[in-house]
């Protein structure tokens, strides 16, 4: 698998601190490699290079040091977890190392969404070598017959097969964060207040902005991180090994959509996208009420045809999206059956969750341009078909950038068949859109936070962009 060179040295850049103009790139893409050739190409190249160097020197003289273009990016539901992921990249790790470190961090700071016993799926793809993408599923593991909870089994499995950095180096930042404490997010507060049942799990107040310390979880992670790797891998056996398979690659418009190979839910997502595409909406139609209303109608029909409400359990969802310097792309989506899982807090400080005989609705995704190697490439993860359809059409049909596509208002299909719209997210639907949804879809319900997030990293040529969905409260990190 692709790795990051040891010579990389660059500073972290969060998505809320934009890069300066005049960045230089360390990428490999050259989408016109077959267009030019011979001495003409060489002469043009030297001329362009001379101009670029001259401009760069002038910028440096007059404006100070220019910012080095990002080498990699991690987008999660937490600023700390995104930063921990890019720290793994800066230490010489690859995208898998960043995923392991960030996912463990989310299990600490977002116990209402994910945790050490969370289920999950991931997609791995090396765009530089273009080897067949891989799907890994650890959602149906039975924690009652394993010595490790589900998430740890999944992460230990990918560490053995694909990681570069020591296990302890990837676990320890999350252990330290649990013991030193972190700021409570508004989504954690909302989920805690809405939880029905006994909830005397944490000491101190779970008000947003307060500091929460999880000593038991920190001690448990420290113990897990101290296990020798040869002993760690013994915990992954025939009875609990995650399901690894070839990912499914399907075409939509001029893009390859890479999705999990172990579940038909991704195929259903593609069919829904194709139905939407057949309507031939234009970019100018996107803001019109009929566009949103028709999308909702088509998606409801897909849900009914699939019997999705019965077949796939729509629990919580947390996504980590990573691209590294060597164009190794990884998306992982983890989650539980409901906020705080079973509500049973173990002595190790994590929540157990239900055992699954069927899949959750979570879908990790990777999208690549099917015509140009260095065309648009996107790593993201969604909670279900509904969110996936809306984000992907915004990205590919409406040709919006990552931030606009992710932050756009969304509808949801509720268990009672009604359409739910997000009351607490900005931007929101116009009154005309809500009225049209209500008229054509048999009722609209206004739903409160928390909402499922979708985090994204995208690349065009050597230009890297990333965004963490404000619904999850995170900030993406680049370096």
């Amino acid at each position: 698998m692709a790795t990051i060179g040891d010579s990389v040295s660059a500073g972290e850049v969060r998505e809320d601190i934009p890069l300066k103009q005049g960045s230089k790139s360390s990428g490999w893409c050259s989408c016109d490699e077959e267009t030019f050739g011979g001495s003409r190409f060489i002469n043009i190249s030297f001329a362009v290079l001379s101009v670029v160097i001259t401009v760069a020197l002038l910028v440096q003289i007059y404006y100070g040091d220019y910012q080095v273009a990002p080498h990699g990016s991690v987008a999660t539901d937490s600023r700390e977890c995104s930063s921990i992921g890019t720290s793994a990249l800066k230490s010489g790790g690859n995208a898998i190392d960043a995923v392991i470190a960030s996912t463990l961090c989310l299990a600490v700071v977002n116990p209402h969404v994910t945790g050490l016993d969370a289920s999950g799926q991931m997609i791995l793809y090396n765009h530089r070598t273009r080897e067949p993408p891989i799907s890994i599923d650890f959602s149906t593991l039975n924690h009652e017959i394993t010595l490790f909870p589900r998430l740890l089994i999944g992460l230990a499995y990918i560490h053995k097969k694909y990681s570069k950095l020591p296990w302890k180096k990837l676990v320890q930042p999350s252990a330290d964060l649990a013991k030193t404490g972190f700021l409570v997010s508004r989504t954690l507060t909302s989920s805690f207040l809405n939880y029905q049942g006994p909830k005397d799990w944490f000491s101190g107040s779970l008000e947003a902005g307060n500091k929460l310390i999880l000593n038991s979880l920190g001690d448990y992670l420290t113990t897990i991180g101290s296990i020798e790797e040869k002993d760690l891998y013994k915990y992954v056996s025939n009875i609990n090994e995650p399901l690894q398979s070839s990912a499914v690659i399907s075409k939509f418009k001029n893009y390859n959509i890479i999705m999990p190979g172990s579940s038909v839910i991704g195929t259903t997502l593609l069919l829904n996208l194709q139905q939407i595409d057949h309507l031939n909406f234009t970019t100018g139609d996107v803001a019109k009420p009929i566009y949103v209303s028709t999308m909702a109608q088509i998606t409801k029909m897909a849900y009914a045809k699939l019997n999705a409400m019965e077949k796939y359990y729509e629990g919580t969802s947390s996504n980590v999206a990573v691209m590294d310097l060597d164009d190794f792309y990884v998306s992982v989506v983890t989650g539980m059956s409901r906020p705080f899982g079973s509500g049973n807090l173990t002595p190790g400080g994590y929540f157990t969750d239900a055992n699954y005989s069927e899949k959750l609705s979570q879908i990790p995704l990777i999208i690549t341009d099917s015509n140009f190697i260095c065309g648009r490439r996107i790593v993201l993860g969604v909670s279900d078909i509904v969110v996936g359809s809306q984000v992907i059409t915004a990205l590919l049909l409406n040709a919006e950038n990552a931030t606009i596509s992710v932050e756009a208002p969304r509808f949801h299909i509720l268990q009672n068949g009604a359409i739910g719209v997000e009351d607490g997210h900005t931007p929101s639907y116009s009154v005309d859109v809500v009225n049209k949804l209500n008229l054509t879809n048999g009722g609209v319900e206004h739903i409160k936070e928390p909402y499922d997030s979708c985090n994204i990293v995208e690349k065009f040529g050597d230009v890297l962009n990333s965004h963490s969905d404000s619904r999850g409260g995170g900030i993406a990190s680049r370096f």
Side-chain angles (χ1 to χ4, degrees):
M1 271 297 170
T3 58
I4 286 186
D6 294 334
S7 61
V8 173
S9 177
E12 178 192 352
V13 180
R14 301 199 310 271
E15 68 171 308
D16 57 340
I17 305 176
L19 297 172
K20 297 179 185 177
Q21 297 296 318
S23 299
K24 66 181 180 181
S25 175
S26 59
W28 60 282
C29 275
S30 177
C31 295
D32 301 316
E33 56 261 47
E34 296 180 1
T35 304
F36 301 106
S39 60
R40 181 183 178 188
F41 173 72
I42 295 173
N43 292 334
I44 293 174
S45 298
F46 275 112
V48 171
L49 180 62
S50 299
V51 172
V52 169
I53 292 174
T54 302
V55 171
L57 288 173
L58 289 173
V59 169
Q60 189 172 22
I61 291 170
Y62 288 102
Y63 298 103
D65 291 339
Y66 55 92
Q67 182 73 47
V68 177
H71 295 130
S73 184
V74 181
T76 77
D77 288 334
S78 161
R79 179 180 62 80
E80 292 91 344
C81 299
S82 299
S83 182
I84 283 175
T86 52
S87 292
L89 296 179
K90 287 190 286 185
S91 297
N94 60 17
I96 285 292
D97 293 306
V99 159
I100 293 172
S102 295
T103 303
L104 284 172
C105 174
L106 289 169
V108 172
V109 302
N110 285 342
H112 58 301
V113 176
T114 185
L116 299 186
D117 195 40
S119 67
Q121 297 188 85
M122 65 181 72
I123 298 291
L124 291 67
Y125 174 57
N126 189 321
H127 186 64
R128 183 168 297 188
T129 64
R130 291 184 291 287
E131 296 173 359
I134 294 169
S135 169
I136 296 175
D137 185 345
F138 54 92
S139 61
T140 58
L141 301 182
N142 189 331
H143 62 237
E144 293 176 354
I145 61 174
T146 66
L147 297 177
F148 266 11
R150 260 181 296 251
L151 181 66
L152 283 181
I153 290 290
L155 297 183
Y157 176 81
I158 63 172
H159 186 273
K160 178 182 179 180
K161 294 180 71 72
Y162 305 107
S163 180
K164 286 185 64 180
L165 297 180
W167 172 253
K168 183 173 184 177
K169 187 177 182 66
L170 300 175
V171 177
Q172 198 58 49
S174 296
D176 293 341
L177 185 61
K179 287 190 280 190
T180 58
F182 55 91
L183 296 182
V184 175
S185 67
R186 74 175 191 278
T187 59
L188 174 52
T189 299
S190 298
S191 294
F192 184 75
L193 293 174
N194 294 333
Y195 185 83
Q196 301 296 316
K199 48 184 178 182
D200 55 347
W201 311 305
F202 310 115
S203 60
S205 172
L206 271 188
E207 292 183 13
N210 284 359
K211 193 173 187 179
L212 180 62
I213 296 175
L214 303 176
N215 282 317
S216 296
L217 181 57
D219 291 339
Y220 181 74
L221 285 171
T222 298
T223 300
I224 294 300
S226 299
I227 298 175
E228 294 289 335
E229 290 174 9
K230 60 181 177 62
D231 296 323
L232 171 73
Y233 302 149
K234 294 177 183 177
Y235 287 95
V236 183
S237 63
N238 292 334
I239 63 172
N240 67 0
E241 185 174 84
L243 176 62
Q244 177 167 321
S245 60
S246 297
V248 173
I249 307 176
S250 298
K251 291 289 179 66
F252 176 65
K253 304 298 286 183
N254 294 316
Y255 291 89
N256 300 313
I257 311 291
I258 305 172
M259 59 191 67
S262 60
S263 171
V264 297
I265 193 167
T267 304
T268 306
L269 168 63
L270 183 72
L271 291 174
N272 196 50
L273 290 172
Q274 291 172 341
Q275 290 294 319
I276 294 169
D277 189 25
H278 289 159
L279 299 174
N280 295 319
F281 280 114
T282 66
T283 303
D285 296 323
V286 174
K288 297 177 181 178
I290 188 63
Y291 174 82
V292 180
S293 175
T294 305
M295 279 191 63
Q297 287 178 291
I298 289 174
T299 307
K300 280 184 69 174
M301 287 190 290
Y303 259 50
K305 186 175 182 179
L306 177 66
N307 195 20
M309 291 298 182
E310 299 294 330
K311 213 168 188 179
Y312 295 99
Y313 199 97
E314 296 183 2
T316 64
S317 174
S318 182
N319 168 231
V320 177
V322 180
M323 286 187 179
D324 70 17
L325 175 64
D326 291 317
D327 280 274
F328 187 11
Y329 307 156
V330 182
S331 174
V332 58
V333 184
T334 65
M336 298 185 289
S337 59
R338 61 173 183 161
F340 303 104
S342 66
N344 176 32
L345 190 66
T346 67
Y350 64 89
F351 292 98
T352 59
D353 198 18
N355 288 318
Y356 301 102
S357 58
E358 295 184 343
K359 302 289 187 295
L360 296 187
S361 61
Q362 307 150 349
I363 315 173
L365 294 163
I366 295 175
I367 301 172
T368 64
D369 192 309
S370 58
N371 295 323
F372 301 99
I373 294 173
C374 299
R376 199 176 187 190
R377 292 95 75 198
I378 306 168
V379 180
L380 71 160
V382 296
S383 57
D384 54 36
I385 295 170
V386 187
V387 174
S389 297
Q390 292 173 87
V391 174
I392 291 173
T393 52
L395 287 164
L396 305 185
L397 291 183
N398 308 341
E400 299 284 12
N401 66 30
T403 301
I404 293 175
S405 299
V406 166
E407 293 298 338
R410 295 179 199 152
F411 63 83
H412 300 268
I413 298 177
L414 307 181
Q415 289 289 331
N416 61 6
I419 296 296
V421 295
E422 300 172 342
D423 255 4
H425 179 71
T426 302
S428 59
Y429 285 129
S430 68
V431 173
D432 289 341
V433 169
V434 174
N435 288 340
K436 188 68 174 179
L437 282 170
N438 186 50
L439 181 66
T440 58
N441 288 277
V444 166
E445 294 184 18
H446 296 269
I447 55 178
K448 305 295 183 183
E449 288 187 305
Y451 309 124
D452 291 326
S453 63
C454 168
N455 305 311
I456 187 168
V457 180
E458 69 170 349
K459 199 172 187 180
F460 188 89
D462 290 323
V463 177
L464 186 64
N465 184 32
S466 53
H467 181 72
S468 288
D469 196 338
S470 65
R471 294 170 178 86
I475 293 177
S477 175
R478 305 185 289 265
F479 87 99

